[in-house]
Amino acid sequence: MGDPDSEDLDRLEDEEAAKELIVGTDAQGTRLDLWLSGQLGDAVSRSRLQALIRAGAVTRAGSPVTEPKHRVAAGEQYALVVPEAEPAEPLPENLPLEILCEDDALIVVNKPAGLVVHPAPGNWSGTLVNALLYHCGDTLAGIGGVRRPGIVHRLDRDTSGVMVAAKTDQAHRALSEAFADHGRSGDLERAYSALVWDAPDRWAGTVDAPLGRDPRSRTLRAVVPEGRADARHAVTHYQVQKRYGSDGKGGALAALIECRLETGRTHQIRVHMAHIGHPLIGDLDYGRAFRTKVNRLPDAVRPIVAAFGRQALHARLLAFRHPVTGEPMRFEAPPPPDMTALTEALNIL
């Protein structure tokens, strides 16, 4: 569920503590990038600072300031997060892969929950990229960039399901364009299965709400005002597949829903479902306030739901046209055992 223009944002998801800087009276009216450059000296180049500013790494009062030409005022306090230094390139690792399809142009895999897609601070090894480099060898090196070769989209660490990676520059360009378009004018199709708390009143609906950085966290997202500098258009379509149990007020205790993305922002489904009051079961980032709902469940169900250790989200379907032949391709992955067990437990309700 990655944002096609979020490579710099990805690099900020596991950072060190922010540098807190206060504007002195002598800096009144100075450009933000120039002022920061003067504060940091040779620690960070000006071009790098400009890239960090545009990526949302500089905040004032919790809100990103994304224009390098922004003029600072005396007394203002800014926070800057500088990512840790990165290794030159990821290394191949012999990690297991469940391959659904592979040819000279691409590889389709069923990613397990717990597997990070590409290296980042705190996760330089043991990622899907490391595994693909080992499996594909030299054919993958450099395709789409050194840090995440072959990757055209991503899933969160704890989201399971179907992913495709490119093995040639031609395939990478074509697939990247398809994912950037999100199927609006092509044949890309993505469907996710999610188990959520309670259930939407309507059997089908659309969440159209822009996403940006959560001011309380450097790693999380939130629904933000449309005019905010970091706001990104985000649309999720959902359909209720099944409702589980009764809350005694005409509603359900939980529901299985299918989500289809019209955009692909970081954590989009998780934030949008929480925004409408139905966070994913197991999502401690966006559904922490719903943790006590497990206490309403029967004894036979409660421990299974309480022990579910990730957000209940699975990318079950991915369809697209082959980037070389144009042939329609469609891949489905059944839910992994942990989600199957969770669904079976909810069926008791």
Side-chain angles (χ1 to χ4, degrees):
M1 298 190 300
D3 181 346
D5 63 0
S6 68
E7 181 166 351
D8 278 330
L9 292 179
D10 293 343
R11 300 174 65 175
L12 303 175
E13 292 197 348
D14 293 291
E15 327 99 332
E16 297 177 313
K19 299 179 184 295
E20 303 286 347
L21 302 168
I22 300 176
V23 181
T25 55
D26 57 338
Q28 173 72 33
T30 305
R31 280 176 49 139
L32 177 61
D33 57 346
L34 291 176
W35 174 69
L36 286 174
S37 180
Q39 295 294 304
L40 300 175
D42 296 331
V44 184
S45 70
R46 184 177 167 192
S47 61
R48 179 69 177 126
L49 276 173
Q50 291 174 340
L52 288 169
I53 293 169
R54 293 190 181 98
V58 177
T59 59
R60 181 187 61 197
S63 297
V65 181
T66 58
E67 176 51 63
K69 295 181 181 179
H70 170 79
R71 302 289 176 172
V72 301
E76 291 180 330
Q77 181 170 318
Y78 291 82
L80 167 67
V81 174
V82 180
E84 298 175 1
E86 300 179 5
E89 58 185 75
L91 299 175
E93 293 182 58
N94 186 9
L95 304 173
L97 286 174
E98 182 181 344
I99 299 172
L100 304 180
C101 176
E102 182 178 12
D103 61 20
D104 291 339
L106 56 80
I107 180 171
V108 181
V109 301
N110 183 15
K111 186 189 89 67
L115 180 65
V116 175
V117 171
H118 57 75
N123 290 289
W124 292 123
S125 62
T127 72
L128 177 62
V129 162
N130 298 109
L132 290 174
L133 286 171
Y134 181 91
H135 176 81
C136 301
D138 293 338
T139 61
L140 196 68
I143 303 299
V146 171
R147 191 169 69 93
R148 45 184 191 180
I151 301 301
V152 295
H153 69 123
R154 72 173 192 174
L155 298 175
D156 295 340
R157 176 209 296 261
D158 288 330
T159 299
S160 56
V162 187
M163 284 192 64
V164 61
K167 294 170 67 175
T168 69
D169 284 322
Q170 177 187 357
H172 190 272
R173 285 193 299 270
L175 290 170
S176 294
E177 290 172 0
F179 276 91
D181 183 66
H182 301 291
R184 288 187 288 265
S185 60
D187 298 305
L188 180 71
E189 184 181 2
R190 289 181 291 173
Y192 297 77
S193 295
L195 290 162
V196 303
W197 285 113
D198 301 337
D201 294 333
R202 299 166 56 193
W203 282 93
T206 296
V207 185
D208 185 346
L211 301 184
R213 283 191 171 272
D214 187 330
R216 299 164 297 181
S217 169
R218 297 191 302 274
T219 63
L220 301 182
R221 302 295 187 267
V223 170
V224 299
E226 189 170 349
R228 209 173 85 171
D230 66 327
R232 297 292 182 269
H233 180 58
V235 179
T236 303
H237 305 283
Y238 68 85
Q239 185 170 24
V240 178
Q241 305 289 305
K242 187 173 183 178
R243 290 185 167 121
Y244 302 101
S246 172
D247 63 1
K249 303 176 183 178
L253 294 175
L256 171 66
I257 63 172
E258 179 178 275
C259 292
R260 292 183 179 248
L261 301 180
E262 189 174 311
T263 57
R265 307 307 182 191
T266 299
H267 300 177
Q268 178 174 317
I269 291 174
R270 299 165 62 190
V271 179
H272 273 173
M273 289 300 101
H275 177 64
I276 64 172
H278 305 289
L280 274 60
I281 292 174
D283 192 342
L284 297 185
D285 289 326
Y286 300 107
R288 185 173 294 275
F290 280 65
R291 290 183 66 183
T292 57
K293 285 186 176 291
V294 72
N295 297 326
R296 300 182 305 173
L297 303 177
D299 292 343
V301 179
R302 188 183 309 122
I304 298 173
V305 177
F308 194 77
R310 65 180 180 98
Q311 67 265 8
L313 185 62
H314 175 67
R316 72 165 188 85
L317 168 67
L318 177 62
F320 55 90
R321 285 198 176 273
H322 193 282
V324 177
T325 68
E327 174 189 1
M329 308 188 78
R330 188 179 185 88
F331 302 96
E332 295 191 55
D338 63 343
M339 276 193 69
T340 298
L342 181 60
T343 302
E344 291 175 349
L346 294 174
N347 278 326
I348 299 174
L349 297 177

